[in-house]
Amino acid sequence: MHNPRPGLPEFDYVRPASLSEASRFLAEHQGEARPFMGGTDTFVRMRDGFWKEKYIVDVKRLDGMGDITFDPSTGLTIGAAVNMNRVIDSPEVQEHYPLLAEAAKTVASFQLRSRATIVGNICNASPAGDTIGACIVMGGVLKVHGLDGEREVPLTGFFVGPGKTVLKPGDIVTAIRFPVLPQGHAGRYIKLGRNALSDLAIVGVTAFAYPDDTPSGYRFKLALASVAPVPLVPEKAEEILTGKPITDETIAEAAQAAMDACNPIDDVRGSARYRKYMVRNLTRRAVTDVLNRLQ
Amino acid sequence: MTRIIGKSIKRVDALGKVTGQTLYPGDRDFENQLWLKVLFARRPHARILSIDTSEAEALPGVVGILTAKDVPVNQYGLQIPDQPVLCGPGSNKKGGDVVRFVGDQVAVVIAESEEIAAQARDLIKVEYQDLPVVDDPEFARSGKAPQLHPGVLNNIADYKRVRKGNPDAVWDKCAVVVESVYRTPFQEHAYLQPEAGTAYIDEAGRITVHCAGQWTWEDQQQIAQALDMPPEKIRVVYDAIGGAFGGREDMSVQIILALAVKYLAERGIYRPVKIIWNREESIIGHCKRHPMIIKTRWGAQANGKLLAAEVEIISDAGAYMYTSNKVLGNTVITCTGPYEIPHVKIDAYAVYTNNVVSGAFRGFGGPQGAFAAEMQMNKLAQKLGMDPVELRLKNALTPDKTLSVGTTIPGGVSMAQVIREAAWKSDWQFTGARPEFNPNYPEDLPRYVTGRGFAAGFKNIGFSFGYQENSWAQVELRGGGDIEEAVVRIAGADVGQGHHTVMAQIAAEVLGVELDKIRLEVSDTAFTESSGSASASRLTFMAGNAVREAAEFALSKWQAEERPAIAEATWLAPKTTPFDPETGYCVPNFAYGYVAEMVEVTVDTETGFITVDRVVCADDVGKAINPEQVVGQIEGAIVQAHGYTILEDFQVHKGRVLTPNFSTYLIPGVYDIPQHVDSIIVEDPHPDGPFGARGMGEMPYLPYAPAVAAAVYDAIGVWFDQFPITPERVLRALGKVRSWI
């Protein structure tokens, strides 16, 4: 944790005119250039000497990066440069994707959220990312511009390890797209921090469900933050909630399965054991809250 | 009737601070200034074999690099000189080549910019030979640990004892005995303004240091001693101070700033220097509140009368003495509470380790002592089935009852009155003692459980134990027929508590002039002498008396037609005596403040989180010279104590700090603090205090942790002998987080 410099180290600020130019530049300067959005993580990591990039490639003003668009037939697209406060305030998000607003509200402070972005939260690939769970359970798909042009990358399998993703040199995530959500859906994000505002999650639990033709009558999706090297989907817990009629026992069984799925670490914010126990408690609460919202 | 005393007048520093005009040390800039950057050791225990600065010195923009060989007297310290200014070979003091904690300073780079200084610092090559790390104070004093300082047997930096009566003769007579081991945590001061300063040679040829501290005169002495210069060649000026809480009592950047100026001048370079520590440097570079282990056994008769107390205190002093010996004295006084106990035995140790240095922090050993004492009282009440308020009233000190050190308290003892006030205003009712929670037969607790707790406390005003407390002030009256201007010169540090405002109020009251006639000239050793430290809740009492007296003298000269009328006063507090080395017998202090608190909490049994819903604090301040500032101090102390009790968790592993910034070390924010605080000002005048005032800056801090712990017990039936009471500790105590998970 040695902070070698009083401020930021020297770097070149690059603002390409197009996505292709940006991708080429990033690929050519692999390992020494990084796409730049809000900078809320980038600058801290550079100041602390963890990242030593020579180039900061500002892509946030390129076409479409700053847009939120909603189409009732295709869904929601949030440009990579849209800050979290705009997401929280968006009427379309509030009406059709309220879980995303609920999760974004728990990130840091209002000031930070004026810079921080959803796509940045995802690309940062911290297991503690508060909005990642919502993006996973609502079927978010990343739009990526690379050397070979545009492609889509689902969030399933996107995270490889802490800070590591499947993105390749030259890749720039330009937006996240969400499908139209099934009728009657409901979600809940519960974050546990050491203080009421601004701490990183000791544990975060995202729960999401919608009515479906299943034994329980619902399709359930869950995601857990800060309990594994990557954002974790406890599949067995999802299956329990989907595959059996919902009772207090089913919820308890699913909560136990969620706890068993995680593999947290001890750190200054909490021990692994406390985290596991809280996953069980908070999963139970999140699922119960979702059921109440569904009815 | 007073005109200005007792009124919540606007603070004299308010306008400058809210408009951004006021200069804090980091705000002061000079056109041709050079920058300093410190190379910290960042290892807890090591011998420095060599330091190679050649590469760093070759970096363009580097003007010089200071190491141990450049320090004239490489040893300093507030109580005893046991710390090298810079660690390394070439030190002219024995043991100066040994690093004893992560915040020891190894080199100081002087460069054209802060960036260059930082780069050069990283080019300095230091060869360390790591030494075994002593991080446990019990091991440190066991006789098996390496000796950390020359000539300090078993690393015992200080030892005090008290013997009163004979506890061993009366344990049989006790109806209840409570025995516990308490562990109190580190705490970081977390002042908003990190250490910073500037230095230069002034027009009178003095090395002048602008910084933030708590005692200009003492800073001047320590700088002069390390530089081997007469004190009058050193000048210390305080800029605005962004919080201190004890953390600025010891040197941080003062000596190295002066040393850099001296080094440059010797090479014909006359340029100012500047330094600002970042938050991480601040957190590893200054002291913390002492963690303590307090092992104690108390006994009482069936009617609640206390009979005996036995206490062993082991205080982790960290790497150097700082104020550990004085802090220990306060813990000795407070560890048996504001109660009369006929049979007392106390053994208290301050022990050197390789942990971050411990030093002064609001309460100065009092919060640790008070935690042990009040926990014992609440546990005794529970065992006796007695109302904890009634138990306290039964045993509370009065003017004719003796402290554990064998003497009575001078200047009024309002403990019982304050306890009654807090109980009355909080509508305290005793509905029977709660049984202890048994994790093997867990109760079916609802998710949210509430509880109420009570605790009391007392804390000395001023540095005493035989030290002759003193404080200086000067008043100069100008004008013809009427006083047109009254210049008040004082050295007391306004660390944010509002000291200067209170001094202006006292001067205006005595002189019979309006406040706008008062001009303060403050905290500059060029024209102020020693007003003593901004510590020990002492400034209103000590400096207030000095200002009152200087103003009275000046006024009589004015009435005798002297123009201008100048008078100064050094007010001396009543005499005290040191601990007797065998029995501890002494008159430790000349004045105390008294406080009692009721706390209401809600415990979330699913997450373990505690919220404090209400605090009622009654505090005898003698006389509230500025009531709004008094309330500010009560609320501030409670918020800081709240962090200490349930949130702040300073973690050190093998001497290394795991929480060196505000994302890992959390302090309470506005959503975390108690929902509601009722501040009740009690005024039982002190016969020696200015207008009857006592001190009050620390007292409301003391009962908070034990009051919260008692409220948590009332809620869930678990005594927490160790804090912070984190959610995880709550759940573990309820048997919910078990090892098999």
Side-chain angles (χ1 to χ4, degrees):
Chain A
M1 291 302 288
H2 192 167
N3 177 358
R5 295 193 168 74
L8 285 171
E10 276 186 29
F11 60 84
D12 280 336
Y13 171 79
V14 184
R15 214 168 97 194
S18 68
L19 280 169
S20 333
E21 192 188 320
S23 283
R24 266 201 316 278
F25 186 92
L26 285 164
E28 280 163 19
H29 296 90
Q30 186 186 335
E32 52 181 27
R34 185 176 287 273
F36 171 72
M37 292 292 170
T40 53
D41 275 297
T42 303
F43 283 153
V44 174
R45 278 159 192 269
M46 288 181 72
R47 187 204 61 190
D48 289 350
F50 292 117
W51 288 354
K52 301 176 194 306
E53 266 68 6
K54 275 159 86 175
Y55 303 99
I56 289 299
V57 183
D58 185 347
V59 291
K60 61 182 180 292
R61 293 182 209 193
L62 296 177
D63 272 356
M65 299 288 253
D67 298 340
I68 301 188
T69 55
F70 176 72
D71 181 321
S73 58
T74 58
L76 176 77
T77 303
I78 299 172
V82 176
N83 74 47
M84 289 193 186
N85 282 335
R86 274 185 64 202
V87 172
I88 292 165
D89 289 342
S90 155
E92 283 88 4
V93 171
Q94 284 173 9
E95 188 178 342
H96 303 290
Y97 304 87
L99 175 60
L100 187 60
E102 181 173 311
K105 272 185 205 162
T106 70
V107 174
S109 60
F110 183 88
Q111 291 91 325
L112 259 291
R113 293 196 297 268
S114 300
R115 295 287 301 181
T117 64
I118 303 281
V119 166
N121 202 213
I122 292 169
C123 291
N124 198 36
S126 158
D130 287 309
T131 64
I132 296 175
C135 293
I136 291 174
V137 298
M138 294 193 298
V141 175
L142 300 176
K143 290 182 154 185
V144 179
H145 185 280
L147 285 175
D148 305 324
E150 297 265 358
R151 66 180 197 282
E152 290 205 331
V153 178
L155 281 176
T156 322
F158 178 76
F159 303 101
V160 181
K164 295 199 172 62
T165 68
V166 298
L167 291 175
K168 296 187 302 242
D171 280 352
I172 299 159
V173 179
T174 58
I176 180 164
R177 183 177 66 73
F178 293 96
V180 175
L181 298 181
Q183 279 296 317
H185 66 87
R188 178 84 169 99
Y189 178 60
I190 302 179
K191 171 180 180 170
L192 190 75
R194 288 172 297 169
N195 62 4
L197 189 78
S198 86
D199 195 17
L200 295 173
I202 303 171
V203 162
V205 175
T206 311
F208 178 76
Y210 52 88
D212 198 5
D213 185 18
T214 67
S216 75
Y218 302 107
R219 178 76 53 186
F220 256 91
K221 305 268 183 197
L222 301 171
L224 308 174
S226 281
V227 292
V230 294
L232 189 75
V233 174
E235 285 169 12
K236 197 171 159 221
E238 292 180 340
E239 281 162 22
I240 292 165
L241 292 166
T242 305
K244 292 183 186 179
I246 304 258
T247 62
D248 285 350
E249 287 72 32
T250 323
I251 296 172
E253 193 189 336
Q256 184 68 37
M259 181 176 105
D260 292 341
C262 56
N263 181 26
I265 55 164
D266 293 323
D267 68 12
V268 293
R269 300 201 302 279
S271 74
R273 281 177 189 149
Y274 178 65
R275 286 192 154 101
K276 290 197 102 173
Y277 182 73
M278 291 318 296
V279 164
R280 190 175 70 179
N281 271 4
L282 298 186
T283 301
R284 199 170 53 222
R285 265 172 61 197
V287 167
T288 308
D289 288 352
V290 165
L291 287 167
N292 289 335
R293 287 180 185 184
L294 281 165
Q295 280 142 18
Chain B
M1 256 319 263
T2 51
R3 295 175 305 119
I4 296 166
I5 300 295
K7 301 239 161 49
S8 296
I9 63 146
K10 189 175 78 189
R11 289 172 58 138
V12 296
D13 53 340
L15 192 64
K17 283 180 177 170
V18 299
T19 57
Q21 304 297 305
T22 305
L23 289 187
Y24 289 83
D27 301 330
R28 194 174 287 281
D29 277 305
F30 299 90
E31 222 166 70
N32 58 343
Q33 71 197 10
L34 293 165
W35 284 82
L36 308 184
K37 203 77 190 163
V38 174
L39 174 64
F40 288 94
R42 291 178 186 277
R43 57 185 69 211
H45 197 200
R47 187 177 304 281
I48 298 181
L49 301 177
S50 68
I51 303 176
D52 178 2
T53 58
S54 54
E55 211 177 316
E57 274 169 292
L59 189 75
V62 172
V63 180
I65 296 176
L66 307 171
T67 59
K69 64 179 172 10
D70 301 304
V71 189
V73 179
N74 194 21
Q75 211 173 42
Y76 76 100
L78 185 56
Q79 288 296 321
I80 60 166
D82 61 350
Q83 182 172 12
V85 176
L86 297 172
C87 291
S91 173
N92 53 22
K93 291 289 175 185
K94 194 173 174 223
D97 58 339
V98 175
V99 164
R100 293 182 186 83
F101 82 114
V102 289
D104 259 326
Q105 303 181 20
V106 175
V108 180
V109 180
I110 312 169
E112 294 289 343
S113 73
E114 195 178 15
E115 285 73 19
I116 295 170
Q119 269 176 32
R121 175 201 55 197
D122 294 348
L123 294 173
I124 298 172
K125 295 198 180 68
V126 185
E127 199 188 338
Y128 292 101
Q129 177 195 10
D130 280 318
L131 300 170
V133 175
V134 180
D135 62 349
D136 173 0
E138 296 210 75
F139 174 65
R141 68 172 188 139
S142 67
K144 297 175 196 139
Q147 190 169 301
L148 301 178
H149 287 270
V152 181
L153 188 66
N154 292 334
N155 298 309
I156 295 169
D158 191 44
Y159 169 66
K160 289 179 168 49
R161 57 189 259 161
V162 172
R163 297 291 183 270
K164 179 189 181 192
N166 182 8
D168 286 335
V170 295
W171 294 119
D172 291 350
K173 302 194 176 75
C174 296
V176 289
V177 174
V178 168
E179 198 166 346
S180 315
V181 178
Y182 299 104
R183 289 170 195 276
T184 72
F186 281 108
Q187 190 181 20
E188 151 65 22
H189 303 82
Y191 26 68
L192 279 180
Q193 178 234 315
E195 289 77 357
T198 51
Y200 56 88
I201 295 178
D202 75 357
E203 61 289 346
R206 291 173 290 213
I207 294 180
T208 302
V209 177
H210 285 260
C211 58
Q214 295 182 225
W215 189 357
T216 45
W217 181 86
E218 178 60 37
D219 287 8
Q220 178 193 29
Q221 300 297 311
Q222 287 191 63
I223 295 168
Q225 192 266 340
L227 268 56
D228 200 17
M229 291 171 70
E232 57 273 18
K233 298 297 283 179
I234 306 293
R235 177 178 171 194
V236 173
V237 187
Y238 286 166
D239 293 325
I241 301 162
F245 313 113
R248 298 191 204 275
E249 274 189 32
D250 294 275
M251 301 288 92
S252 56
V253 297
Q254 290 91 329
I255 295 175
I256 53 173
L257 277 164
L259 188 64
V261 168
K262 179 174 188 281
Y263 175 92
L264 292 169
E266 283 164 1
R267 284 152 184 78
I269 303 166
Y270 295 92
R271 293 172 67 180
V273 295
K274 175 167 181 170
I275 190 167
I276 303 179
W277 279 0
N278 64 30
R279 183 57 63 181
E280 197 200 336
E281 290 169 327
S282 170
I283 288 183
I284 67 162
H286 75 252
C287 65
K288 304 287 162 276
R289 186 187 296 286
H290 290 78
M292 291 191 194
I293 302 163
I294 301 179
K295 303 173 182 177
T296 185
R297 177 155 69 140
W298 288 30
Q301 292 172 331
N303 64 5
K305 269 285 186 200
L306 294 171
L307 264 189
E310 204 174 85
V311 193
E312 185 183 36
I313 300 164
I314 301 151
S315 168
D316 184 352
Y320 300 103
M321 181 67 90
Y322 283 50
T323 46
S324 287
N325 51 353
K326 297 289 168 190
V327 167
L328 193 65
N330 270 9
T331 311
V332 167
I333 296 295
T334 51
C335 74
T336 49
Y339 311 110
E340 187 182 51
I341 309 179
H343 301 276
V344 177
K345 178 182 174 207
I346 304 171
D347 290 280
Y349 304 83
V351 185
Y352 285 127
T353 64
N354 294 121
N355 289 328
V356 175
V357 186
S358 299
F361 198 142
R362 194 181 212 163
F364 207 71
Q368 295 95 322
F371 183 74
E374 296 302 298
M375 288 293 284
Q376 289 295 95
M377 286 300 273
N378 284 324
K379 287 180 183 180
L380 283 172
Q382 190 256 340
K383 281 204 163 183
L384 289 161
M386 248 180 103
D387 181 344
V389 169
E390 192 192 329
L391 180 68
R392 286 179 168 81
L393 288 172
K394 201 165 230 155
N395 293 283
L397 288 169
T398 54
D400 57 338
K401 289 184 179 169
T402 63
L403 290 159
S404 295
V405 291
T407 53
T408 56
I409 290 181
V413 184
S414 58
M415 194 66 258
Q417 184 192 347
V418 169
I419 289 170
R420 282 197 189 91
E421 198 78 25
W424 176 253
K425 290 285 165 44
S426 63
D427 192 22
W428 180 264
Q429 274 161 7
F430 180 64
T431 50
R434 191 200 195 288
E436 275 195 61
F437 178 90
N438 183 345
N440 295 320
Y441 301 94
E443 293 169 47
D444 193 14
L445 292 169
R447 178 162 174 204
Y448 295 108
V449 204
T450 59
R452 302 180 108 205
F454 198 93
F458 76 138
K459 164 84 185 50
N460 62 298
I461 292 146
F463 289 161
S464 295
F465 297 103
Y467 173 78
Q468 177 56 65
E469 257 286 25
N470 62 90
S471 191
W472 173 94
Q474 189 185 62
V475 172
E476 178 175 342
L477 305 178
R478 297 174 185 159
D482 293 329
I483 297 171
E484 281 156 27
E485 184 178 57
V487 183
V488 177
R489 297 192 180 92
I490 46 170
D494 197 320
V495 295
Q497 83 282 49
H499 169 57
H500 293 167
T501 302
V502 166
M503 293 305 104
Q505 283 180 264
I506 289 175
E509 185 74 42
V510 173
L511 296 168
V513 300
E514 292 306 310
L515 269 165
D516 58 8
K517 297 274 190 288
I518 306 287
R519 189 156 65 79
L520 296 167
E521 291 185 355
V522 298
S523 299
D524 181 341
T525 58
F527 55 79
T528 58
E529 292 181 24
S530 177
S531 301
S533 182
S535 322
S537 303
R538 65 179 286 288
L539 274 180
T540 297
F541 196 105
M542 293 298 308
N545 270 323
V547 167
R548 181 186 51 75
E549 215 169 82
E552 283 167 1
F553 291 163
L555 194 60
S556 53
K557 286 186 174 182
W558 177 268
Q559 282 152 358
E561 303 296 330
E562 270 190 48
R563 297 291 183 275
I566 305 178
E568 60 178 41
T570 296
W571 194 78
L572 301 178
K575 296 253 181 292
T576 58
T577 61
F579 285 106
D580 178 275
E582 292 304 316
T583 64
Y585 182 91
C586 60
V587 179
N589 296 290
F590 55 85
Y592 294 82
Y594 303 89
V595 61
E597 283 168 17
M598 190 289 302
V599 168
E600 284 175 17
V601 303
T602 300
V603 181
D604 180 339
T605 59
E606 206 170 281
T607 62
F609 274 74
I610 297 166
T611 48
V612 173
D613 305 314
R614 186 177 172 217
V615 182
V616 176
C617 173
D619 186 3
D620 176 13
V621 304
K623 172 74 190 172
I625 291 181
N626 187 318
E628 208 169 303
Q629 289 193 175
V630 166
V631 171
Q633 287 293 303
I634 293 175
E635 291 178 353
I638 284 169
V639 166
Q640 202 164 31
H642 182 75
Y644 183 51
T645 309
I646 69 170
L647 177 62
E648 297 179 35
D649 197 0
F650 192 82
Q651 297 181 38
V652 179
H653 181 65
K654 294 189 162 60
R656 289 175 194 268
V657 177
L658 304 181
T659 50
N661 47 47
F662 286 161
S663 56
T664 45
Y665 185 81
L666 298 187
I667 60 172
V670 69
Y671 294 109
D672 303 306
I673 62 178
Q675 309 274 321
H676 191 82
V677 176
D678 290 322
S679 301
I680 297 150
I681 298 174
V682 179
E683 294 184 321
D684 177 33
H686 192 287
D688 299 317
F691 301 93
R694 297 168 185 270
M696 60 77 52
E698 299 164 291
M699 290 64 175
Y701 194 110
L702 269 63
Y704 191 79
V708 168
V712 171
Y713 178 84
D714 188 38
I716 61 172
V718 178
W719 292 115
F720 286 89
D721 293 348
Q722 183 176 12
F723 60 101
I725 311 175
T726 59
E728 183 161 350
R729 287 200 169 121
V730 171
L731 291 193
R732 279 179 189 272
L734 290 176
K736 291 190 174 185
V737 179
R738 294 193 180 227
S739 46
W740 51 262
I741 290 186

